[in-house]
Amino acid sequence: MPAVRRLVTLLPLVFALSSPVFAAQIGTIPPAESLTTERVQALPPAQRDAWAAYVARSDAQRAADRAALAAEREGMSTWPARPEGGHSEGSMPLDKPGHWYASDAARLVIANILSFQTPAGGWGKNQPRDRPARLKGQDFVADNSNKKATPGDFDAAKDPQWSYVGTIDNDATITEIRFLAKAAPHQEPELAKACRAAAERGLRYLLAAQFPNGGWPQVWPLQGGYHDAITMNDNAVVEVAELMGWASRGEADLGFLPADLKAAAAAAHDRAVQLLLATQIRVDGRLTLWAQQHDPLTLAPSSARNYEPPALSAGESARALEFLMQLPKPTPAIVESVRAGVAVLRELPVRGRAFVKVDGARRLIDQPGAGPLWARFYDPATLTPVFGDRDKSLHDNVNDISAERRNGYSWWGTWPVKTLAAYDAWAARWLKPGN
């Protein structure tokens, strides 16, 4: 396994101070760095080859994906409109009784999933699967470009016609694989074989997308910008690692996988666990939490959209800790990671306050008896809450950002409650008395 760099010193404050727009503005959110050949060439020689091979593989696969679509369209004067966008995960239910997966409704979903699998083996996001199958020459994914993006916007697609073509964002690819595996036993032999082959291709896609250090980017082949970061956001890395664990053990209807793929999935799962240990940020030598995104090379917290700073994240950290607590044989490093992370989460919540609408816009207000609440983001050096706005300004008070962003984002929440509730039973089993 490639060596993984652990952050062992105080992470410097990464927000560049600027002239305030609001009185409480404390900085400006910087853009994330893409994973480029130039950055790879600046690595120590021992790390360079693995990362150079990764970037080259990504470039080659992107070219192959685009060439496949171009070949389909050759000789066509027009081609079908882009597929419909919308809620994706809900159209691929994983909790239906067995007989439902033999129904016409399930076969419609199967046909859609099979037809929209990209040449690389992944799937796009925000695309309902209970819709007709892909037509010849049609785009592989729905339109995921940000139509509100302005010049310099971190979320502006470099190519609006080719965005999120293969992603783990919003449970994409993970859910398609799981649905195909669950539905396969209820199909006629030929369709069952196709479901299993596509699920296997999807898992091999995820293996190809895994970074040398064990993380995963949001989009693969690489798209640039924050999409190249190790993406903890929406629990993406954790959910792929969880899927790899199931695949390695033949669980979650994945028992049909060949032995070589199960072994590769086991290794990918183990690399992901080591990556989680490496990316847990230390502040003054103390283990704390994880960020929503981490730079793939430095592992430092990375920004994403204009209002998403390079900061620690309560929600994603809670889910990472749950994943680590589910491991059957935690090492001393895993035990310490969980103990330390939970200790920080217990220190951070506010009580007697609520994030509610007041005159049409959400505000954090005093409300006796309310809470506990955790901020979505915490400064990686001081562990104090921070809040971003669309103009890239950073604030220390959620009430100082625009009403549009206060209403349109989950700045405060109860994400760690479930994690903390599960911790005591876990600690009783794995922590030595007095720890």
Side-chain angles (χ1 to χ4, degrees), residues 246-302:
W246 294 332
S248 71
R249 299 185 296 272
E251 298 171 359
D253 302 294
L254 293 165
F256 62 87
L257 297 173
D260 72 306
L261 184 50
K262 288 181 177 178
H269 172 273
D270 292 347
R271 287 195 298 272
V273 170
Q274 294 306 307
L275 183 279
L276 287 176
L277 298 179
T279 48
Q280 189 174 13
I281 298 300
R282 289 184 181 269
V283 177
D284 289 334
R286 179 194 182 195
L287 280 172
T288 61
L289 303 175
W290 290 265
Q292 275 196 173
Q293 292 80 214
H294 290 262
D295 184 272
L297 298 181
T298 69
L299 304 188
S302 177

Short mmCIF file of all heavy atoms in Angstrom, two decimals, residues 246-302:
data_model
loop_
_atom_site.label_atom_id
_atom_site.label_comp_id
_atom_site.label_asym_id
_atom_site.label_seq_id
_atom_site.Cartn_x
_atom_site.Cartn_y
_atom_site.Cartn_z
N TRP A 246 -18.45 -4.75 2.00
CA TRP A 246 -19.50 -5.72 1.66
C TRP A 246 -19.08 -6.59 0.49
O TRP A 246 -19.28 -7.80 0.50
CB TRP A 246 -20.78 -4.98 1.31
CG TRP A 246 -21.40 -4.24 2.45
CD1 TRP A 246 -21.30 -4.53 3.78
CD2 TRP A 246 -22.23 -3.08 2.35
NE1 TRP A 246 -22.02 -3.62 4.53
CE2 TRP A 246 -22.61 -2.72 3.68
CE3 TRP A 246 -22.71 -2.31 1.30
CZ2 TRP A 246 -23.41 -1.63 3.95
CZ3 TRP A 246 -23.53 -1.22 1.57
CH2 TRP A 246 -23.88 -0.89 2.88
N ALA A 247 -18.49 -5.96 -0.54
CA ALA A 247 -18.07 -6.71 -1.71
C ALA A 247 -17.02 -7.76 -1.35
O ALA A 247 -17.06 -8.90 -1.82
CB ALA A 247 -17.54 -5.75 -2.78
N SER A 248 -16.08 -7.38 -0.50
CA SER A 248 -15.01 -8.31 -0.14
C SER A 248 -15.53 -9.53 0.61
O SER A 248 -14.98 -10.63 0.50
CB SER A 248 -13.97 -7.59 0.72
OG SER A 248 -14.48 -7.30 2.01
N ARG A 249 -16.65 -9.34 1.34
CA ARG A 249 -17.21 -10.43 2.13
C ARG A 249 -18.39 -11.11 1.45
O ARG A 249 -19.01 -12.02 2.00
CB ARG A 249 -17.64 -9.90 3.50
CG ARG A 249 -16.51 -9.32 4.33
CD ARG A 249 -16.97 -8.92 5.71
NE ARG A 249 -17.95 -7.83 5.70
CZ ARG A 249 -17.66 -6.53 5.71
NH1 ARG A 249 -16.37 -6.15 5.74
NH2 ARG A 249 -18.60 -5.61 5.70
N GLY A 250 -18.76 -10.62 0.27
CA GLY A 250 -19.90 -11.19 -0.45
C GLY A 250 -21.23 -10.85 0.19
O GLY A 250 -22.22 -11.57 0.01
N GLU A 251 -21.29 -9.74 0.92
CA GLU A 251 -22.54 -9.31 1.56
C GLU A 251 -23.30 -8.36 0.64
O GLU A 251 -22.84 -8.02 -0.44
CB GLU A 251 -22.22 -8.62 2.88
CG GLU A 251 -21.53 -9.52 3.89
CD GLU A 251 -21.02 -8.79 5.11
OE1 GLU A 251 -21.17 -7.55 5.18
OE2 GLU A 251 -20.44 -9.46 5.99
N ALA A 252 -24.50 -7.93 1.08
CA ALA A 252 -25.34 -6.99 0.32
C ALA A 252 -25.59 -7.52 -1.09
O ALA A 252 -25.53 -6.77 -2.07
CB ALA A 252 -24.69 -5.61 0.29
N ASP A 253 -25.88 -8.83 -1.19
CA ASP A 253 -26.20 -9.49 -2.47
C ASP A 253 -25.03 -9.52 -3.44
O ASP A 253 -25.23 -9.68 -4.64
CB ASP A 253 -27.41 -8.81 -3.13
CG ASP A 253 -28.64 -8.81 -2.24
OD1 ASP A 253 -29.16 -9.91 -1.97
OD2 ASP A 253 -29.06 -7.73 -1.80
N LEU A 254 -23.80 -9.35 -2.95
CA LEU A 254 -22.63 -9.31 -3.81
C LEU A 254 -21.82 -10.61 -3.75
O LEU A 254 -20.65 -10.64 -4.15
CB LEU A 254 -21.74 -8.12 -3.42
CG LEU A 254 -22.35 -6.74 -3.70
CD1 LEU A 254 -21.58 -5.65 -2.96
CD2 LEU A 254 -22.39 -6.45 -5.19
N GLY A 255 -22.43 -11.68 -3.34
CA GLY A 255 -21.73 -12.95 -3.25
C GLY A 255 -21.29 -13.52 -4.58
O GLY A 255 -20.43 -14.39 -4.64
N PHE A 256 -21.87 -13.05 -5.68
CA PHE A 256 -21.55 -13.56 -7.01
C PHE A 256 -20.21 -13.06 -7.54
O PHE A 256 -19.72 -13.54 -8.57
CB PHE A 256 -22.64 -13.15 -8.01
CG PHE A 256 -22.78 -11.65 -8.17
CD1 PHE A 256 -22.00 -10.96 -9.08
CD2 PHE A 256 -23.68 -10.95 -7.39
CE1 PHE A 256 -22.12 -9.59 -9.23
CE2 PHE A 256 -23.81 -9.58 -7.52
CZ PHE A 256 -23.03 -8.89 -8.44
N LEU A 257 -19.60 -12.10 -6.88
CA LEU A 257 -18.37 -11.49 -7.41
C LEU A 257 -17.24 -12.52 -7.48
O LEU A 257 -17.10 -13.36 -6.59
CB LEU A 257 -17.94 -10.32 -6.53
CG LEU A 257 -18.92 -9.14 -6.48
CD1 LEU A 257 -18.44 -8.12 -5.44
CD2 LEU A 257 -19.06 -8.48 -7.85
N PRO A 258 -16.38 -12.42 -8.49
CA PRO A 258 -15.24 -13.34 -8.58
C PRO A 258 -14.24 -13.09 -7.47
O PRO A 258 -14.18 -12.00 -6.89
CB PRO A 258 -14.65 -13.04 -9.96
CG PRO A 258 -15.07 -11.64 -10.26
CD PRO A 258 -16.43 -11.48 -9.63
N ALA A 259 -13.44 -14.11 -7.19
CA ALA A 259 -12.50 -14.04 -6.07
C ALA A 259 -11.51 -12.90 -6.21
O ALA A 259 -11.17 -12.23 -5.21
CB ALA A 259 -11.75 -15.37 -5.94
N ASP A 260 -11.05 -12.62 -7.43
CA ASP A 260 -10.07 -11.55 -7.60
C ASP A 260 -10.64 -10.19 -7.26
O ASP A 260 -9.97 -9.33 -6.69
CB ASP A 260 -9.50 -11.54 -9.03
CG ASP A 260 -10.51 -11.03 -10.05
OD1 ASP A 260 -11.65 -11.58 -10.08
OD2 ASP A 260 -10.19 -10.10 -10.81
N LEU A 261 -11.93 -10.00 -7.58
CA LEU A 261 -12.56 -8.72 -7.28
C LEU A 261 -12.83 -8.59 -5.78
O LEU A 261 -12.68 -7.50 -5.20
CB LEU A 261 -13.86 -8.57 -8.07
CG LEU A 261 -14.60 -7.24 -7.95
CD1 LEU A 261 -13.66 -6.06 -8.19
CD2 LEU A 261 -15.77 -7.19 -8.93
N LYS A 262 -13.20 -9.67 -5.14
CA LYS A 262 -13.39 -9.63 -3.69
C LYS A 262 -12.08 -9.27 -2.99
O LYS A 262 -12.06 -8.47 -2.04
CB LYS A 262 -13.91 -10.97 -3.18
CG LYS A 262 -15.36 -11.25 -3.54
CD LYS A 262 -15.82 -12.59 -2.98
CE LYS A 262 -17.29 -12.84 -3.29
NZ LYS A 262 -17.75 -14.15 -2.79
N ALA A 263 -10.98 -9.84 -3.47
CA ALA A 263 -9.68 -9.54 -2.87
C ALA A 263 -9.30 -8.08 -3.10
O ALA A 263 -8.77 -7.41 -2.19
CB ALA A 263 -8.62 -10.47 -3.45
N ALA A 264 -9.54 -7.59 -4.31
CA ALA A 264 -9.23 -6.19 -4.61
C ALA A 264 -10.08 -5.25 -3.77
O ALA A 264 -9.61 -4.20 -3.30
CB ALA A 264 -9.44 -5.91 -6.10
N ALA A 265 -11.35 -5.62 -3.57
CA ALA A 265 -12.23 -4.80 -2.74
C ALA A 265 -11.76 -4.77 -1.30
O ALA A 265 -11.82 -3.73 -0.63
CB ALA A 265 -13.67 -5.32 -2.84
N ALA A 266 -11.29 -5.91 -0.80
CA ALA A 266 -10.77 -5.96 0.57
C ALA A 266 -9.57 -5.04 0.74
O ALA A 266 -9.46 -4.30 1.73
CB ALA A 266 -10.39 -7.39 0.93
N ALA A 267 -8.68 -5.05 -0.25
CA ALA A 267 -7.50 -4.18 -0.19
C ALA A 267 -7.91 -2.71 -0.27
O ALA A 267 -7.35 -1.86 0.43
CB ALA A 267 -6.54 -4.52 -1.32
N ALA A 268 -8.91 -2.40 -1.13
CA ALA A 268 -9.38 -1.02 -1.25
C ALA A 268 -10.02 -0.55 0.05
O ALA A 268 -9.83 0.60 0.47
CB ALA A 268 -10.38 -0.92 -2.40
N HIS A 269 -10.77 -1.43 0.68
CA HIS A 269 -11.39 -1.10 1.97
C HIS A 269 -10.32 -0.79 3.00
O HIS A 269 -10.40 0.21 3.73
CB HIS A 269 -12.24 -2.28 2.43
CG HIS A 269 -12.78 -2.16 3.82
ND1 HIS A 269 -12.07 -2.56 4.93
CD2 HIS A 269 -13.96 -1.67 4.28
CE1 HIS A 269 -12.79 -2.33 6.01
NE2 HIS A 269 -13.95 -1.80 5.65
N ASP A 270 -9.29 -1.61 3.07
CA ASP A 270 -8.23 -1.40 4.06
C ASP A 270 -7.46 -0.10 3.79
O ASP A 270 -7.10 0.62 4.74
CB ASP A 270 -7.27 -2.58 4.07
CG ASP A 270 -7.93 -3.85 4.61
OD1 ASP A 270 -9.03 -3.74 5.20
OD2 ASP A 270 -7.35 -4.94 4.43
N ARG A 271 -7.23 0.21 2.52
CA ARG A 271 -6.56 1.48 2.19
C ARG A 271 -7.43 2.67 2.61
O ARG A 271 -6.92 3.69 3.08
CB ARG A 271 -6.26 1.56 0.69
CG ARG A 271 -5.12 0.67 0.24
CD ARG A 271 -4.63 1.05 -1.15
NE ARG A 271 -5.67 0.89 -2.16
CZ ARG A 271 -5.89 -0.25 -2.82
NH1 ARG A 271 -5.15 -1.32 -2.58
NH2 ARG A 271 -6.84 -0.32 -3.73
N ALA A 272 -8.73 2.53 2.43
CA ALA A 272 -9.63 3.61 2.82
C ALA A 272 -9.62 3.83 4.33
O ALA A 272 -9.67 4.98 4.80
CB ALA A 272 -11.05 3.31 2.33
N VAL A 273 -9.55 2.76 5.10
CA VAL A 273 -9.48 2.90 6.55
C VAL A 273 -8.20 3.64 6.94
O VAL A 273 -8.22 4.57 7.78
CB VAL A 273 -9.52 1.52 7.24
CG1 VAL A 273 -9.21 1.64 8.73
CG2 VAL A 273 -10.89 0.88 7.04
N GLN A 274 -7.08 3.29 6.33
CA GLN A 274 -5.84 3.97 6.62
C GLN A 274 -5.90 5.44 6.20
O GLN A 274 -5.34 6.32 6.87
CB GLN A 274 -4.67 3.27 5.92
CG GLN A 274 -4.39 1.87 6.45
CD GLN A 274 -4.20 1.86 7.96
OE1 GLN A 274 -3.39 2.62 8.50
NE2 GLN A 274 -4.94 1.00 8.65
N LEU A 275 -6.60 5.71 5.12
CA LEU A 275 -6.76 7.09 4.66
C LEU A 275 -7.55 7.90 5.68
O LEU A 275 -7.22 9.06 5.97
CB LEU A 275 -7.47 7.09 3.30
CG LEU A 275 -7.72 8.40 2.54
CD1 LEU A 275 -8.93 9.15 3.01
CD2 LEU A 275 -6.49 9.30 2.53
N LEU A 276 -8.59 7.30 6.25
CA LEU A 276 -9.37 8.00 7.27
C LEU A 276 -8.49 8.34 8.48
O LEU A 276 -8.58 9.44 9.04
CB LEU A 276 -10.57 7.16 7.70
CG LEU A 276 -11.71 7.06 6.69
CD1 LEU A 276 -12.78 6.11 7.20
CD2 LEU A 276 -12.32 8.43 6.40
N LEU A 277 -7.66 7.41 8.88
CA LEU A 277 -6.76 7.69 10.00
C LEU A 277 -5.78 8.81 9.65
O LEU A 277 -5.44 9.63 10.50
CB LEU A 277 -6.00 6.42 10.39
CG LEU A 277 -6.84 5.24 10.88
CD1 LEU A 277 -5.94 4.06 11.21
CD2 LEU A 277 -7.69 5.62 12.08
N ALA A 278 -5.35 8.84 8.40
CA ALA A 278 -4.37 9.85 7.98
C ALA A 278 -4.96 11.24 7.85
O ALA A 278 -4.26 12.24 8.03
CB ALA A 278 -3.73 9.43 6.65
N THR A 279 -6.24 11.33 7.52
CA THR A 279 -6.84 12.64 7.27
C THR A 279 -7.49 13.25 8.51
O THR A 279 -7.89 14.42 8.48
CB THR A 279 -7.91 12.55 6.16
OG1 THR A 279 -8.78 11.43 6.41
CG2 THR A 279 -7.26 12.39 4.80
N GLN A 280 -7.61 12.52 9.59
CA GLN A 280 -8.16 13.10 10.82
C GLN A 280 -7.20 14.18 11.32
O GLN A 280 -6.03 13.92 11.60
CB GLN A 280 -8.36 12.01 11.87
CG GLN A 280 -9.13 12.48 13.10
CD GLN A 280 -9.43 11.32 14.05
OE1 GLN A 280 -8.88 10.22 13.91
NE2 GLN A 280 -10.32 11.56 15.02
N ILE A 281 -7.69 15.39 11.40
CA ILE A 281 -6.84 16.55 11.66
C ILE A 281 -6.39 16.60 13.12
O ILE A 281 -7.17 16.36 14.04
CB ILE A 281 -7.58 17.85 11.29
CG1 ILE A 281 -7.92 17.87 9.80
CG2 ILE A 281 -6.76 19.07 11.67
CD1 ILE A 281 -6.72 17.79 8.89
N ARG A 282 -5.12 16.93 13.31
CA ARG A 282 -4.58 17.19 14.64
C ARG A 282 -4.48 18.68 14.89
O ARG A 282 -4.02 19.43 14.03
CB ARG A 282 -3.20 16.54 14.80
CG ARG A 282 -3.23 15.02 14.89
CD ARG A 282 -1.85 14.46 15.14
NE ARG A 282 -1.87 13.00 15.20
CZ ARG A 282 -2.04 12.30 16.32
NH1 ARG A 282 -2.17 12.94 17.47
NH2 ARG A 282 -2.04 10.99 16.29
N VAL A 283 -4.91 19.11 16.03
CA VAL A 283 -4.80 20.50 16.46
C VAL A 283 -3.98 20.51 17.75
O VAL A 283 -4.39 19.90 18.75
CB VAL A 283 -6.18 21.15 16.70
CG1 VAL A 283 -6.02 22.57 17.22
CG2 VAL A 283 -6.99 21.14 15.41
N ASP A 284 -2.81 21.14 17.73
CA ASP A 284 -1.90 21.12 18.87
C ASP A 284 -1.61 19.69 19.33
O ASP A 284 -1.58 19.39 20.52
CB ASP A 284 -2.47 21.94 20.03
CG ASP A 284 -2.46 23.43 19.74
OD1 ASP A 284 -1.60 23.87 18.94
OD2 ASP A 284 -3.30 24.15 20.30
N GLY A 285 -1.44 18.80 18.37
CA GLY A 285 -1.12 17.42 18.67
C GLY A 285 -2.31 16.55 19.02
O GLY A 285 -2.16 15.34 19.21
N ARG A 286 -3.49 17.12 19.07
CA ARG A 286 -4.69 16.38 19.48
C ARG A 286 -5.53 16.00 18.26
O ARG A 286 -5.84 16.85 17.43
CB ARG A 286 -5.51 17.25 20.42
CG ARG A 286 -6.81 16.61 20.89
CD ARG A 286 -7.71 17.64 21.52
NE ARG A 286 -8.93 17.03 22.03
CZ ARG A 286 -10.02 17.71 22.37
NH1 ARG A 286 -10.02 19.03 22.25
NH2 ARG A 286 -11.08 17.09 22.82
N LEU A 287 -5.91 14.73 18.14
CA LEU A 287 -6.79 14.29 17.07
C LEU A 287 -8.15 14.95 17.22
O LEU A 287 -8.71 14.98 18.32
CB LEU A 287 -6.95 12.77 17.10
CG LEU A 287 -5.82 11.93 16.50
CD1 LEU A 287 -6.07 10.46 16.78
CD2 LEU A 287 -5.72 12.17 15.00
N THR A 288 -8.70 15.43 16.10
CA THR A 288 -10.01 16.08 16.17
C THR A 288 -10.98 15.43 15.17
O THR A 288 -11.44 14.32 15.40
CB THR A 288 -9.87 17.59 15.92
OG1 THR A 288 -9.32 17.84 14.61
CG2 THR A 288 -8.99 18.24 16.98
N LEU A 289 -11.26 16.11 14.07
CA LEU A 289 -12.30 15.68 13.14
C LEU A 289 -11.77 15.66 11.70
O LEU A 289 -10.60 15.86 11.46
CB LEU A 289 -13.51 16.63 13.25
CG LEU A 289 -14.15 16.77 14.63
CD1 LEU A 289 -15.24 17.82 14.61
CD2 LEU A 289 -14.71 15.42 15.13
N TRP A 290 -12.69 15.44 10.79
CA TRP A 290 -12.39 15.43 9.35
C TRP A 290 -13.05 16.62 8.67
O TRP A 290 -14.00 17.21 9.18
CB TRP A 290 -12.91 14.16 8.71
CG TRP A 290 -12.17 12.92 9.09
CD1 TRP A 290 -11.15 12.31 8.42
CD2 TRP A 290 -12.41 12.09 10.24
NE1 TRP A 290 -10.72 11.18 9.07
CE2 TRP A 290 -11.49 11.02 10.19
CE3 TRP A 290 -13.31 12.15 11.30
CZ2 TRP A 290 -11.44 10.02 11.16
CZ3 TRP A 290 -13.26 11.17 12.27
CH2 TRP A 290 -12.33 10.12 12.21
N ALA A 291 -12.55 16.95 7.49
CA ALA A 291 -13.15 17.99 6.66
C ALA A 291 -14.14 17.38 5.68
O ALA A 291 -14.16 16.16 5.48
CB ALA A 291 -12.07 18.75 5.90
N GLN A 292 -14.95 18.22 5.04
CA GLN A 292 -15.83 17.73 3.98
C GLN A 292 -15.03 17.29 2.77
O GLN A 292 -15.40 16.35 2.07
CB GLN A 292 -16.85 18.79 3.56
CG GLN A 292 -18.07 18.84 4.42
CD GLN A 292 -19.22 19.61 3.80
OE1 GLN A 292 -20.32 19.61 4.34
NE2 GLN A 292 -19.01 20.28 2.69
N GLN A 293 -13.94 18.00 2.50
CA GLN A 293 -13.02 17.63 1.42
C GLN A 293 -11.59 17.75 1.94
O GLN A 293 -11.31 18.63 2.75
CB GLN A 293 -13.16 18.55 0.19
CG GLN A 293 -14.46 18.44 -0.58
CD GLN A 293 -15.58 19.19 0.08
OE1 GLN A 293 -16.72 18.78 0.03
NE2 GLN A 293 -15.27 20.31 0.72
N HIS A 294 -10.72 16.87 1.46
CA HIS A 294 -9.30 16.95 1.77
C HIS A 294 -8.53 16.97 0.46
O HIS A 294 -8.86 16.23 -0.48
CB HIS A 294 -8.85 15.74 2.60
CG HIS A 294 -9.37 15.72 4.00
ND1 HIS A 294 -8.62 16.15 5.08
CD2 HIS A 294 -10.56 15.34 4.51
CE1 HIS A 294 -9.33 16.02 6.19
NE2 HIS A 294 -10.51 15.52 5.87
N ASP A 295 -7.50 17.79 0.40
CA ASP A 295 -6.66 17.82 -0.78
C ASP A 295 -6.08 16.43 -1.01
O ASP A 295 -5.59 15.79 -0.07
CB ASP A 295 -5.54 18.84 -0.61
CG ASP A 295 -4.69 18.96 -1.86
OD1 ASP A 295 -3.73 18.18 -2.01
OD2 ASP A 295 -5.01 19.83 -2.69
N PRO A 296 -6.09 15.91 -2.25
CA PRO A 296 -5.64 14.54 -2.48
C PRO A 296 -4.16 14.31 -2.19
O PRO A 296 -3.77 13.20 -1.84
CB PRO A 296 -5.95 14.30 -3.96
CG PRO A 296 -6.03 15.66 -4.56
CD PRO A 296 -6.58 16.54 -3.48
N LEU A 297 -3.34 15.36 -2.30
CA LEU A 297 -1.90 15.20 -2.11
C LEU A 297 -1.44 15.61 -0.71
O LEU A 297 -0.65 14.91 -0.08
CB LEU A 297 -1.14 15.99 -3.17
CG LEU A 297 -1.39 15.57 -4.62
CD1 LEU A 297 -0.57 16.41 -5.58
CD2 LEU A 297 -1.09 14.09 -4.83
N THR A 298 -1.92 16.74 -0.21
CA THR A 298 -1.47 17.21 1.10
C THR A 298 -2.33 16.69 2.24
O THR A 298 -1.91 16.73 3.41
CB THR A 298 -1.50 18.75 1.16
OG1 THR A 298 -2.86 19.19 1.14
CG2 THR A 298 -0.73 19.36 -0.01
N LEU A 299 -3.55 16.25 1.93
CA LEU A 299 -4.56 15.79 2.89
C LEU A 299 -5.13 16.92 3.75
O LEU A 299 -5.94 16.66 4.64
CB LEU A 299 -4.01 14.67 3.79
CG LEU A 299 -3.45 13.43 3.09
CD1 LEU A 299 -3.13 12.35 4.12
CD2 LEU A 299 -4.39 12.92 2.02
N ALA A 300 -4.72 18.16 3.51
CA ALA A 300 -5.27 19.29 4.26
C ALA A 300 -6.72 19.53 3.87
O ALA A 300 -7.15 19.19 2.76
CB ALA A 300 -4.44 20.54 3.97
N PRO A 301 -7.52 20.13 4.76
CA PRO A 301 -8.88 20.49 4.39
C PRO A 301 -8.91 21.34 3.12
O PRO A 301 -8.05 22.20 2.93
CB PRO A 301 -9.38 21.28 5.60
CG PRO A 301 -8.61 20.72 6.74
CD PRO A 301 -7.24 20.44 6.18
N SER A 302 -9.88 21.09 2.28
CA SER A 302 -10.01 21.78 1.00
C SER A 302 -11.40 22.37 0.88
O SER A 302 -12.36 21.85 1.45
CB SER A 302 -9.75 20.79 -0.14
OG SER A 302 -9.93 21.39 -1.39
#
